[in-house]
Amino acid sequence: LYTMTERKGRQQAICLKTTDGSEVWSADVGGPYIEKQKHGPGCRSTPTYEDGKLFCFLPRGELLCLSAADGKKLWETDTLKAV
């Protein structure tokens, strides 16, 4: 199971075992985020899995691709600057 969380002010992608909920790996993917309306800090989306890769879209427009096996970053782009 793959999801996002915030720990100690950092956004994390995490992998959990579906059998018992224990953590397999975590990857630091970004700094803290608080929107201007201050509705709360943290992640705004869940990652997408395809073909052994995990795609994480962060609140400031960063798009990351991680290895689903171990959470290592494969690539990253800023979608707001790419336009």
Side-chain angles (χ1 to χ4, degrees):
L1 173 91
Y2 303 99
T3 192
M4 301 285 288
T5 190
E6 187 169 318
R7 295 179 179 157
K8 298 180 182 179
R10 301 288 300 171
Q11 295 178 65
Q12 304 279 313
I14 60 172
C15 175
L16 305 172
K17 288 182 184 177
T18 57
T19 54
D20 62 8
S22 63
E23 189 172 295
V24 177
W25 57 256
S26 68
D28 184 292
V29 294
Y33 176 76
I34 298 178
E35 62 179 276
K36 292 183 187 222
Q37 291 84 18
K38 300 191 182 201
H39 288 141
C43 309
R44 295 291 188 263
S45 66
T46 47
T48 300
Y49 173 87
E50 183 178 344
D51 196 28
K53 296 181 179 92
L54 198 64
F55 300 91
C56 304
F57 191 65
L58 304 181
R60 293 188 184 106
E62 303 99 323
L63 178 63
L64 292 91
C65 178
L66 307 176
S67 165
D70 57 16
K72 290 186 180 168
K73 188 187 310 181
L74 303 175
W75 55 260
E76 177 179 359
T77 190
D78 185 333
T79 62
L80 299 178
K81 290 182 181 177
V83 178

